[in-house]
Amino acid sequence: MTKALVSLSGGMDSATALALAIASGVEVECVFFHYGSKHNVYEKAAAAKIAAHYKHIPTFIDLSSIMGHFKSNLLLGGGDIPEGHYEADTMKQTVVPARNMIFASILAGLAVSKDARQIWLGVHAGDHAIYPDFRPQFIGFMQDAIRCGTGAPI
């Protein structure tokens, strides 16, 4: 059976990705990244409940010491989170630089280590205007980089 790693943030995008992965018939392992966001405590609780619904226990990976050096109002050390629509210029303050690139890279390393052939990372397509690592072009290039950088058919 094919093994898959699913990044489970606790949001609707990753919950949908998990449901789709399970429905596809692969063996699933859930991974939650604690990266120091102001919402992580709520996200972790939601991820744990979603994983429990599917009878999974997520692996929790703490990246807060690394990503605490990043500049973003979404992070604990950042400023206030602005109010407004995702398209608003002020919402750029919530971008965590290369967050999904980092998550995908770690998932790729874990996949090689655990002999998994798939990684699932649910990204919000509506955020593409301000979040560069949500764009379909990024996902395609990242998939190529993972295959090239690991030599594995992930």
Side-chain angles (χ1 to χ4, degrees), residues 13-27:
D13 305 315
S14 68
T16 301
L18 174 60
L20 290 170
I22 290 169
S24 77
V26 297
E27 178 187 340

Side-chain angles (χ1 to χ4, degrees), residues 3 5 106-117 150 152 154:
K3 189 184 291 187
L5 299 177
I106 292 169
L107 288 168
L110 287 171
V112 170
S113 299
K114 296 173 176 276
D115 201 27
R117 292 292 173 247
T150 64
I154 298 172

Side-chain angles (χ1 to χ4, degrees), residues 22-132:
I22 290 169
S24 77
V26 297
E27 178 187 340
V28 170
E29 181 178 332
C30 301
V31 178
F32 175 85
F33 294 105
H34 176 82
Y35 61 97
S37 102
K38 294 175 180 173
H39 302 93
N40 261 162
V41 66
Y42 308 109
E43 292 168 336
K44 185 176 182 180
K49 286 180 184 177
I50 293 164
H53 171 78
Y54 291 105
K55 301 187 178 17
H56 288 276
I57 300 171
T59 299
F60 293 99
I61 297 178
D62 189 349
L63 300 173
S64 60
S65 64
I66 295 165
M67 296 181 88
H69 297 279
F70 290 26
K71 182 180 179 185
S72 173
N73 286 14
L74 187 63
L75 300 175
L76 289 170
D80 293 335
I81 296 176
E83 298 289 328
H85 188 270
Y86 282 117
E87 300 296 328
D89 207 42
T90 58
M91 294 306 285
K92 290 179 183 175
Q93 297 170 25
T94 66
V95 172
V96 178
R99 177 180 61 185
N100 285 331
M101 185 183 325
I102 293 165
F103 293 172
S105 296
I106 292 169
L107 288 168
L110 287 171
V112 170
S113 299
K114 296 173 176 276
D115 201 27
R117 292 292 173 247
Q118 297 179 6
I119 60 174
W120 292 65
L121 184 64
V123 297
H124 189 321
D127 292 350
H128 67 278
I130 64 167
Y131 295 112

